[in-house]
Amino acid sequence: HSHEGHSHEGHSHEGHSHNEAQTVDSEGAEDSSKPKPIAVLEDGVYNFGSMEPYTRRQHKFTVRNEGDAPLTLREGHSSCKCTIGEVGDESIPPGGESTILLSWRSAEGSQLFAHEAEIITNDPDNPILTCRVEGRILSQLVADPGAFSMTGIIPGVAEQATVTLTSQTWESFEV
């Protein structure tokens, strides 16, 4: 059962031995007045709209420490290259902020693109922050229809098929 909302006097009478109750008090594990960091991630999702294939982009996320103890950040699991930057020892003082730089490289295809990076913090209420970038990768060349067949061609009779080539990235191109 949870001890939240109980006063400290109640702890030693709830089946804890005297030593355990003292440990809880001296550690301050359940004491809300103990200083602790509070990690706040501003705008954890960044939508870059659209980008060309095989290009590199980066985006800075800001993490603030709204607590009253130093906040530490370190890289967790990431599906892209992520750099925690601009904090010398990766410790953010109370009221301070740090930048997390995410960089990613797009592949080919006109599909939705998303990458996430986890940042591990020492904030007991927010141990993992997730930074996410998402958007669409443009296609360099799209054929419509993607395939066509010519059946029943008679020698000497001209047959015709039309295919439209469009590009989301090139202004002009030659076929």
Side-chain angles (χ1 to χ4, degrees):
H1 65 278
S2 166
H3 294 300
E4 284 181 335
H6 292 301
S7 66
H8 274 294
E9 292 78 40
H11 284 307
S12 51
H13 305 300
E14 287 184 45
H16 293 301
S17 75
H18 186 61
N19 289 344
E20 279 182 85
Q22 268 193 322
T23 312
V24 167
D25 285 343
S26 64
E27 296 274 320
E30 296 181 10
D31 185 357
S32 59
S33 66
K34 181 181 181 228
K36 67 174 185 180
I38 298 174
V40 178
L41 175 63
E42 275 184 25
D43 300 329
V45 178
Y46 170 65
N47 188 318
F48 57 80
S50 59
M51 65 188 280
E52 295 197 15
Y54 312 114
T55 51
R56 212 171 254 299
R57 290 277 289 271
Q58 56 187 37
H59 179 72
K60 285 181 177 178
F61 292 89
T62 302
V63 177
R64 288 197 319 273
N65 180 4
E66 295 187 351
D68 45 16
L71 173 69
T72 57
L73 302 178
R74 61 191 174 87
E75 286 179 43
H77 174 72
S78 168
S79 62
C80 55
K81 206 168 135 245
C82 155
T83 314
I84 299 174
E86 294 168 24
V87 175
D89 52 2
E90 292 184 348
S91 174
I92 308 174
E97 62 180 41
S98 174
T99 319
I100 295 161
L101 183 66
L102 237 61
S103 65
W104 65 96
R105 188 177 159 76
S106 63
E108 168 63 282
S110 169
Q111 76 265 15
L112 293 173
F113 175 95
H115 267 317
E116 285 187 352
E118 287 182 351
I119 309 300
I120 299 166
T121 80
N122 62 335
D123 175 354
D125 300 322
N126 215 350
I128 292 179
L129 305 174
T130 303
C131 301
R132 181 180 167 92
V133 293
E134 59 186 30
R136 276 188 69 219
I137 309 302
L138 299 174
S139 282
Q140 285 183 321
L141 208 57
V142 180
D144 180 31
F148 52 89
S149 61
M150 299 182 121
T151 54
I153 296 176
I154 306 161
V157 178
E159 282 274 349
Q160 198 171 307
T162 305
V163 63
T164 308
L165 293 174
T166 53
S167 173
Q168 294 177 315
T169 58
W170 297 320
E171 290 285 319
S172 60
F173 57 92
E174 289 182 20
V175 178

